[in-house]
Amino acid sequence: MIRGGSSYISSPPAFSNDAKRLLVCTANTVSIFSTSTALQVASLKGHTAVVTSVIVVPGTKVLCYCWTASLDGTIRYWDFSVPELLKTLDVKMPIFSMVIPSIVGQPAESNEKPTDVFAYLSIEDKKVQENRPKAMHGQIRKCNLTASRMVGGLILKETPQPEFITVSSSGKFFGIRNKRKLHVWLVPAIDSGRSLAKKITLHHSKTLSVLAFHPTERIVAAGDVTGRILVWRGFGYRTFSTGDELVNKEEEHPGVRGNDDADSCSTWHWHSAEVKVLSFSSDGAYLYSGGKEGVLVVWQLDTGKKKFLPRIGSPLLCFTDSPDPTLSSISCADNLIHILEMPSMDILKTISGIKLPHSFPGRYEGLSSGFAFDYTSGLVALRTESYGIQFYSLFDDHGMYEVQVCERNHQPGDEISVVVILVALSQDGSMMSTVEVKLPEEGIGGLVCLKFWALGSENKKFTLSTVIYEPHRDAGISAVAFHPTRHMAVSSSYGGDFKVWVCNDEIQQKGQTLQNSGWACLAVGAYKKKPMTAAAFSLDGSVLAVAAETVITLWDPDKNVLLAVIGETLSPIVTLSFAGKSEYLVSVSRDPKPQLSVWTMSKLSLSWSYRLHIEAVACAVDLLSFAVLALLPESSMCTESNESMSQGRDGAILLFNVMDPVPVATWSVRKAKGGGLSFLQGNPSFLEEKISDGNAPKEFLVYVNGDHEYVLFDPYSNEANEVSTARRKGLVEIEETGQVGYASIYGELPEFKRNQTLLVPSVPSERPWETIFSGSSHNLPPLSKLCAAFLESLMEKRTAAVE
């Protein structure tokens, strides 16, 4: 079992003392990346909840120690060069933020006598009663790390919610933002544990979002939710002054509100939205700011003049300095961490995490995350907010590359005008199709665009092959599916038709390269002018299934001949999948009456069904099995145990033998809404490293949740039992007969001539009444079809006997 897809931007990262490694909080672990290659080299595992803070202990370049804090209520001390856990301290309360001022300001080599090390924690006190008016759940507490205990009875500040703590690079000050206030503490020079840190409060008219301390002077900067930056100079001289410091109380304090303890306050304004990033340069001459615009602004502290780093393309969240003055990092909202060369701020390397989900506007608001999986290579393709497709390796937990679908200068925060609504991959991963929609402005100017992409043989990246504007006139596209073995695809539309597309190399002479070929329409099909809502090819490509709202139509994709019609369901079908090489077809219907249905093509009837809200379907290739991701209804969640509810398990993965409605195995999962599911072929390199018992599985099952975190496991082995709630035996291997799909059920299709007028039967038999009443009652077709067949049998023309 392998887990991945964690967020790299939940907490600020930290550089090692030699700046050759970057420690990043990733869910319950700390991942260690090389700054020269941007590849993960190690990880710190031990926390049982999200890690919220990582602090590297200053020292020589050889020393590699760090402190970590987590929502599991523990503080841990590590040697991350091994890596090895050295010490654990349990404070028994979730820790949202931690700073250790005494080691932050400590010189690399110090001969002073070691004293106790104290940390300041932002924790959540769950014992606070909810019925108390204005309950304060957040607390700033003090912890003695040397003695492994909290400083009892000492609460520096209570806040409605836990707040992030910021410490100065000198270790003399730390502070938090609390709505429209800024609280700043002076760290005692000689800390005996019970020493109280002096505090001042600075006020503002808007809610504050971030703060930063000057490295050498008493200057603190803060950003607010409207985009303004405030710079307080000379803060705390009255409150923090010592006996030998002279303070002029009668001097004017321009820009300072009320009786705040500061000499002056300046206001700068460039950002149009909330300021997320504030950081002083190591020499204190410049202030860096950033936010939703994706632009890093460099302010000259003395003059207020500014210059800009070219747009990075994603909202900025965090700026981190390193011990090496030529290196820094910046974290972006699309789960990227850029390693920057200073002071030019050129991007040297990028640590790429999986793209985080984003919202869609208007009619596409409820659009699912739209995963496309490459069965052979273990890649997943995800739509990005910047009109692109990210390819992410599920086996390596690493971003591979991105394909820009629309060449547009995307600026976060702008009104969305283009949406990439669909992405599809061929089974071998050599072809990709995307569908983008240009949203109409005031009801005018909408455009649907279908694009086909080809995988390069050398660089292994997709390049654009063909662009088709308005492939179904002004109707939207509901689905795109590729033929499993040929350069053929189908697109279905809500306008009432589907089109079969072929690449020109299907009819060109051999020897011509795919890069010089394009895609063209081979055939158009429709059924009773009904919207076509889903489409899928059988595993051998001999049958094309297209859903016409509540019925399923079966076609010969080469001859564009309707073979049969099966159905119908209670609601329009949104997903179709063939169960491996079998005769079974799986369909999913959603609102208003969700339904999972399994159909048998040999009888053209329903085999079994469940009334479930299905989010995703995955079919195995070599087994008669498939898996579904189901959302649990609220009524059933209410009956779960309190522990399960607190863990947020809102969905379940059900593994079925296609011939049996009783699940083979089930797993409860978190964040199922917007999730995805797929079977993947075993990766050889992954098997060599991860499989030690020699029992290499043929296929893995991957579950990607709504936050794009994923787990990859063998659903047929014992390792899946750690999350499994039920398991049965009885998966049936497919017997190789040489014929699959339509040919294995009905035999070879006779040749049809194009100029021949064809009658389209609803069943493939000329005498349907002889077999239509056979079988179980739940397999019988609808009453309307039974009546028609029965009346036709009574009117059968009888041939006179010849004597």
Side-chain angles (χ1 to χ4, degrees):
M1 179 180 293
I2 183 172
R3 298 179 184 273
S6 300
S7 172
Y8 291 169
I9 57 176
S10 59
S11 299
F15 282 92
S16 61
N17 290 317
D18 59 3
K20 293 182 178 180
R21 283 164 289 185
L22 186 67
L23 284 68
V24 181
C25 299
T26 52
N28 299 358
T29 66
V30 175
S31 300
I32 304 174
F33 293 89
S34 167
T35 56
S36 59
T37 64
L39 298 178
Q40 184 174 342
V41 295
S43 61
L44 307 179
K45 299 180 179 179
H47 285 288
T48 58
V50 173
V51 179
T52 55
S53 299
V54 56
I55 302 171
V56 174
V57 178
T60 63
K61 295 182 178 180
V62 180
L63 296 178
C64 299
Y65 299 106
C66 70
W67 292 91
T68 59
S70 167
L71 295 181
D72 62 9
T74 64
I75 301 172
R76 297 172 188 256
Y77 186 57
W78 308 80
D79 179 354
F80 61 86
S81 62
V82 180
E84 181 183 3
L85 176 63
L86 304 178
K87 184 178 182 179
T88 301
L89 168 62
D90 190 0
V91 303
K92 303 185 184 306
M93 287 179 287
I95 303 172
F96 284 79
S97 181
M98 176 178 73
V99 295
I100 311 176
S102 60
I103 68 172
V104 171
Q106 175 182 321
E109 296 182 3
S110 176
N111 296 324
E112 295 182 5
K113 182 179 179 181
T115 59
D116 286 357
V117 177
F118 292 92
Y120 293 88
L121 313 177
S122 175
I123 58 96
E124 181 183 21
D125 187 0
K126 294 184 176 181
K127 297 180 181 179
V128 176
Q129 297 179 2
E130 294 289 345
N131 56 4
R132 283 177 50 190
K134 298 182 179 180
M136 297 293 182
H137 295 273
Q139 295 179 355
I140 305 297
R141 302 282 294 270
K142 191 174 182 179
C143 178
N144 189 328
L145 300 180
T146 304
S148 299
R149 58 180 174 83
M150 297 288 288
V151 177
L154 182 60
I155 300 177
L156 277 73
K157 181 66 179 177
E158 289 185 320
T159 57
Q161 301 295 332
E163 299 291 347
F164 180 79
I165 307 177
T166 302
V167 66
S168 64
S169 58
S170 63
K172 295 181 179 180
F173 305 98
F174 68 92
I176 63 170
R177 55 179 178 80
N178 181 15
K179 296 183 179 180
R180 299 180 180 182
K181 300 177 182 179
L182 202 65
H183 303 294
V184 179
W185 286 267
L186 172 67
V187 179
I190 301 176
D191 204 336
S192 61
R194 285 288 179 177
S195 302
L196 293 177
K198 295 181 180 179
K199 183 190 74 171
I200 65 170
T201 300
L202 303 175
H203 297 80
H204 182 42
S205 58
K206 302 294 182 182
T207 301
L208 298 170
S209 56
V210 64
L211 73 134
F213 289 97
H214 193 279
T216 57
E217 301 180 21
R218 288 196 179 186
I219 300 176
V220 60
D224 67 16
V225 295
T226 66
R228 288 184 291 179
I229 299 172
L230 292 90
V231 180
W232 286 276
R233 302 172 188 267
F235 69 86
Y237 276 116
R238 296 199 306 268
T239 308
F240 301 153
S241 63
T242 58
D244 55 351
E245 292 180 341
L246 297 178
V247 179
N248 188 355
K249 297 183 179 180
E250 297 180 357
E251 185 179 347
E252 293 185 1
H253 305 288
V256 178
R257 299 177 65 88
N259 197 33
D260 288 356
D261 189 357
D263 291 343
S264 65
C265 180
S266 304
T267 301
W268 298 335
H269 197 178
W270 179 86
H271 298 282
S272 61
E274 178 180 357
V275 180
K276 288 286 191 179
V277 173
L278 271 185
S279 179
F280 285 93
S281 59
S282 57
D283 59 0
Y286 298 96
L287 176 66
Y288 306 121
S289 67
K292 196 172 184 179
E293 303 87 1
V295 177
L296 190 65
V297 185
V298 183
W299 302 85
Q300 191 173 7
L301 193 61
D302 292 338
T303 64
K305 294 181 179 180
K306 56 186 177 294
K307 60 181 180 179
F308 309 95
L309 178 69
R311 182 175 298 157
I312 296 177
S314 176
L316 309 182
L317 297 180
C318 177
F319 188 90
T320 305
D321 281 320
S322 79
D324 183 351
T326 64
L327 283 182
S328 294
S329 76
I330 189 163
S331 304
C332 302
D334 55 357
N335 211 18
L336 296 176
I337 300 178
H338 297 297
I339 308 297
L340 304 178
E341 182 181 20
M342 304 299 288
S344 63
M345 294 193 176
D346 294 330
I347 298 177
L348 300 177
K349 292 290 180 180
T350 298
I351 300 173
S352 178
I354 196 167
K355 293 296 182 183
L356 302 179
H358 59 279
S359 58
F360 296 91
R363 58 177 292 192
Y364 301 102
E365 183 177 357
L367 194 64
S368 64
S369 297
F371 308 102
F373 295 91
D374 186 343
Y375 175 79
T376 56
S377 64
L379 299 180
V380 59
L382 307 117
R383 298 185 300 249
T384 69
E385 191 174 10
S386 57
Y387 316 121
I389 302 294
Q390 182 198 33
F391 284 85
Y392 196 86
S393 174
L394 296 171
F395 289 107
D396 299 325
D397 193 19
H398 181 69
M400 305 301 290
Y401 63 95
E402 290 188 33
V403 175
Q404 195 65 34
V405 177
C406 309
E407 295 297 335
R408 298 175 64 89
N409 188 13
H410 171 70
Q411 179 174 353
D414 283 354
E415 183 178 353
I416 297 177
S417 59
V418 177
V419 179
V420 180
I421 62 171
L422 289 174
V423 56
L425 292 173
S426 61
Q427 187 171 340
D428 62 358
S430 65
M431 296 173 288
M432 178 176 70
S433 177
T434 59
V435 177
E436 64 195 70
V437 177
K438 182 180 182 299
L439 303 180
E441 297 180 6
E442 298 180 356
I444 302 175
L447 179 69
V448 179
C449 182
L450 173 65
K451 293 181 179 179
F452 289 98
W453 307 74
L455 186 67
S457 57
E458 296 181 359
N459 61 2
K460 297 299 180 182
K461 294 184 179 180
F462 281 99
T463 56
L464 186 60
S465 171
T466 306
V467 180
I468 305 166
Y469 296 103
E470 299 290 0
H472 297 271
R473 299 179 299 278
D474 58 347
I477 297 178
S478 58
V480 177
F482 280 97
H483 193 283
T485 58
R486 294 168 51 188
H487 292 159
M488 177 184 287
V490 60
S491 62
S492 58
S493 117
Y494 297 108
D497 66 348
F498 69 89
K499 290 187 177 181
V500 177
W501 308 87
V502 293
C503 191
N504 288 340
D505 68 338
E506 286 279 322
I507 54 178
Q508 288 174 345
Q509 295 180 355
K510 294 182 179 180
Q512 289 186 309
T513 60
L514 182 63
Q515 284 77 2
N516 296 328
S517 61
W519 289 75
C521 181
L522 175 67
V524 181
Y527 182 77
K528 296 184 178 180
K529 298 182 180 180
K530 291 186 176 183
M532 298 299 192
T533 55
F537 284 94
S538 61
L539 192 62
D540 67 338
S542 62
V543 179
L544 170 62
V546 184
E549 280 194 322
T550 58
V551 299
I552 303 172
T553 60
L554 303 179
W555 301 77
D556 177 0
D558 292 316
K559 300 178 175 62
N560 197 30
V561 175
L562 180 61
L563 306 174
V565 178
I566 55 178
E568 50 188 270
T569 59
L570 300 175
S571 298
I573 297 170
V574 296
T575 302
L576 282 176
S577 303
F578 281 86
K581 302 175 183 177
S582 71
E583 61 168 311
Y584 293 94
L585 183 63
V586 181
S587 70
V588 171
S589 303
R590 290 180 184 161
D591 297 331
K593 297 181 179 180
Q595 185 177 2
L596 170 68
S597 305
V598 177
W599 309 86
T600 169
M601 292 190 295
S602 60
K603 297 180 181 179
L604 297 179
S605 60
L606 180 67
S607 178
W608 54 270
S609 68
Y610 278 114
R611 187 168 181 177
L612 290 173
H613 190 292
I614 302 300
E615 195 73 9
V617 178
C619 293
V621 174
D622 296 325
L623 294 173
L624 290 176
S625 62
F626 70 95
V628 298
L629 175 62
L631 299 182
L632 297 179
E634 295 182 0
S635 58
S636 66
M637 292 180 65
C638 293
T639 60
E640 296 280 344
S641 65
N642 293 334
E643 181 180 359
S644 298
M645 292 181 65
S646 64
Q647 293 176 348
R649 298 184 182 272
D650 59 349
I653 299 175
L654 309 176
L655 181 65
F656 288 100
N657 179 343
V658 73
M659 296 183 295
D660 189 352
V662 180
V664 174
T666 63
W667 300 268
S668 58
V669 295
R670 303 180 184 91
K671 305 172 185 177
K673 182 67 176 178
L677 203 63
S678 179
F679 284 92
L680 299 177
Q681 188 178 32
N683 185 293
S685 60
F686 172 78
L687 296 178
E688 292 177 1
E689 298 178 3
K690 302 295 183 180
I691 306 299
S692 58
D693 58 1
N695 299 322
K698 295 180 180 179
E699 289 183 322
F700 289 92
L701 183 63
V702 59
Y703 163 60
V704 184
N705 68 17
D707 286 347
H708 293 182
E709 301 166 331
Y710 67 86
V711 58
L712 187 71
F713 62 97
D714 178 8
Y716 313 118
S717 71
N718 293 330
E719 72 166 353
N721 283 331
E722 64 182 67
V723 289
S724 177
T725 58
R727 174 164 291 277
R728 295 175 63 245
K729 296 181 179 180
L731 290 180
V732 181
E733 294 263 2
I734 292 181
E735 182 181 356
E736 296 291 343
T737 61
Q739 286 185 330
V740 294
Y742 180 84
S744 65
I745 303 170
Y746 306 111
E748 295 295 338
L749 187 71
E751 292 293 332
F752 288 92
K753 296 180 180 180
R754 286 289 179 183
N755 58 359
Q756 196 175 6
T757 302
L758 300 177
L759 295 177
V760 182
S762 60
V763 290
S765 173
E766 295 181 357
R767 300 168 63 87
W769 52 86
E770 295 182 349
T771 59
I772 198 169
F773 293 99
S774 62
S776 305
S777 59
H778 68 276
N779 282 333
L780 292 179
L783 185 60
S784 58
K785 184 177 293 187
L786 290 174
C787 291
F790 177 71
L791 293 177
E792 189 176 351
S793 69
L794 298 179
M795 296 176 7
E796 180 186 9
K797 182 177 180 180
R798 301 179 181 276
T799 305
V802 179
E803 295 182 359

